[in-house]
Amino acid sequence: MSAQNKIDPALLNQVLQQTQSRKHPTYKPQKIGILGAGMMGAGIAFVAAKAGLQVILKELSLELAEAGKNHAQQTCIKMLERGKINEAQQEQLLSLIQPTANIADLQGVDFIIEAVFEDKKLKASVSMESFPYLKKNGLFASNTTSLPISDLAEAIPAPQFFLGMHFFSPVDRMPLLEIIVGKKTSAETLQKAISISHILGKTPIIVQDSPGFFTSRIFFNYLLEAIIMRMEGIAAEQIELEAKHAGFAIGPLAVLDEISIPLMLHVYAQLPHLNLSQQRCYTYLSKMVQQGRRGRKSGKGFYTYTEDNQGKELWTDVDINPSLSPLSAEIIQQRLLNSMALDSYRCLAEGVIASELDGNIGSVLGVGYPASTGGVFQYIRHIGIDRFTAQCKSFRPYGPQWEFERIDL
């Protein structure tokens, strides 16, 4: 990454000097607009209303907007059943969410967050349409997993007020919020976003705009390693088992089925270029999709699911020959753990993240890196930089994802 694409040092200094105020919001919006009432938009609406903010939930039709509010209501019901809230609190929370199909209802909102489908043109369209209704000097954010923030910011006439706010699903339970700084994002806008994150009860990490940002980038590198191992002929059962033994809550192939195989292809399609391993992975996943193996929602992916979607068994791809040189359990675990940790180091070296702390927090809270390790950088330091470096160098025959010059923490 070239120097001009890194976080502006002056901007970083301004923000880092204010870290003591991160948990004491200095910016307190009263009314926010949410564009899109799907799972993410509805989830954001719920946490915003729970924080006492008035929410305008905008969709193409009133019916879709009301469905988003209904999602929030269902979340309330579950909390009510668990004794987390009472009926009065539920009523108050839901009263703060106004579903609408009328763009003019956004008039005067302090903050707009766009949470529509991951498509550049669609996001640009709704951003241009809604920006005129934003309060003067208000904050505009896009909830996206990987689309370039600096490009999306060009859709509005004041890109200094624009940044990325990547929420994680389910929004009401996932604590992390990845704040992505665009090339023209101002320090004031960033500080407002940090304040909002704490108002919403989220733990923020600050990330530079770059392909895949931080969490999506290292997460898809982890999934890549699992797929490459499968293509090498390592049994799917062994990959899933050793992932759990390494401390991951769920195997990478099961995770990929949950998020859907087309989504990984979509993320790869957004990258400026693919290395050889990514190209091989893209080709293999494309073939799976052509065979109808799209993931859990389609009933088959790396697993085949029962009709009631309650049972599953791993799929055996007859086109993959079992490896003639089986890997040990230790090596499989190391490849899965190190794949995330090595790419996290690259992110730190490139300026994608500003600190090891953000890397540790983001990896554990955002993408399920084993909490027992303390996070990606704590993991490297625990096993020792020299040992970690030697392990990664030994994995170079497995693909270009293991290429690096040196590790210097």
Side-chain angles (χ1 to χ4, degrees), residues 238-361:
Q238 190 177 11
I239 295 170
E240 298 290 84
L241 179 64
E242 297 311 332
K244 293 177 183 178
H245 286 169
F248 293 95
I250 185 172
L253 304 180
V255 170
L256 187 49
D257 273 4
E258 292 293 334
I259 67 172
S260 90
I261 293 170
L263 177 60
M264 187 163 181
L265 290 172
H266 179 73
V267 170
Y268 272 169
Q270 308 301 320
L271 299 179
H273 61 83
L274 301 178
N275 64 36
L276 182 59
S277 290
Q278 290 170 330
Q279 291 172 22
R280 291 180 60 216
C281 177
Y282 190 93
T283 300
Y284 183 71
L285 294 182
S286 296
K287 178 183 175 182
M288 286 183 65
V289 170
Q290 290 169 7
Q291 295 173 343
R293 309 199 74 91
R294 303 171 61 87
R296 183 163 191 156
K297 287 185 178 180
S298 71
K300 52 186 179 179
F302 282 96
Y303 286 78
T304 298
Y305 301 85
T306 57
E307 287 188 12
D308 61 6
N309 214 21
Q310 298 302 308
K312 64 180 181 180
E313 63 179 8
L314 277 162
W315 166 58
T316 300
D317 187 348
V318 296
D319 292 332
I320 293 180
N321 296 318
S323 173
L324 298 177
S325 303
L327 297 181
S328 68
E330 182 181 25
I331 293 299
I332 293 174
Q333 291 178 34
Q334 288 174 0
R335 285 179 66 177
L336 293 172
L337 288 165
N338 291 18
S339 63
M340 270 200 199
L342 178 60
D343 209 39
S344 296
Y345 171 74
R346 293 190 188 104
C347 287
L348 182 65
E350 294 168 9
V352 176
I353 53 175
S355 71
E356 291 184 28
L357 178 61
D358 278 351
N360 287 332
I361 292 172

Side-chain angles (χ1 to χ4, degrees), residues 164-222:
M165 295 182 78
H166 175 202
F167 290 82
F168 296 78
S169 182
V171 181
D172 62 297
R173 296 203 300 272
M174 294 293 282
L176 188 72
L177 178 59
E178 189 174 31
I179 299 175
I180 304 102
V181 181
K183 291 180 180 178
K184 296 182 181 179
T185 303
S186 70
E188 181 182 3
T189 295
L190 177 54
Q191 191 59 48
K192 284 181 178 180
I194 292 171
S195 291
I196 289 171
S197 70
H198 287 294
I199 290 171
L200 298 181
K202 301 300 180 184
T203 299
I205 62 170
I206 302 168
V207 178
Q208 164 69 23
D209 186 19
S210 64
F213 312 139
F214 174 66
T215 55
S216 294
R217 171 172 163 173
I218 67 169
F219 179 60
F220 281 96
N221 210 48
Y222 162 71

